[in-house]
Amino acid sequence: MKLNEAIAKRVKQLLSERKYSQYDLFKKGGVPRSTVFDVVNCKKKRVSTETVYQICSTLNISLKDFFDDKMFENLDD
């Protein structure tokens, strides 16, 4: 799995756990709607740390907790 795919999967997982939609993430966190869509659907090859930070802040999770998941252990180049 590539990093952008792992980030997308993790965001989807967290949204599901919190019963948030992509729209909720946009409205509550100020992450542009197009950015949320692009991240979740792997349309971006690279996701900025600022974007991940904004998503984490909106979901009340630390960056450490976001990346502290097995899906980030064995990423492809």
Side-chain angles (χ1 to χ4, degrees), residues 35-69:
T35 300
V36 173
F37 177 85
D38 289 347
V39 168
V40 170
N41 293 292
C42 295
K43 300 289 184 185
K44 290 185 175 232
K45 290 185 181 185
R46 295 190 173 151
V47 181
S48 74
T49 52
E50 180 63 31
T51 297
V52 175
Y53 178 77
Q54 285 180 308
I55 290 169
C56 289
S57 293
T58 304
L59 298 175
N60 295 316
I61 185 173
S62 70
L63 283 170
K64 180 187 180 306
D65 289 337
F66 182 87
F67 287 109
D68 191 19
D69 191 278

Side-chain angles (χ1 to χ4, degrees), residues 15-33:
L15 289 175
S16 176
E17 288 173 6
R18 287 160 175 75
K19 296 182 176 32
Y20 273 30
S21 67
Q22 291 179 35
Y23 183 76
D24 292 329
L25 191 56
F26 154 67
K27 285 300 272 185
K28 294 178 183 183
V31 180
R33 218 161 110 177

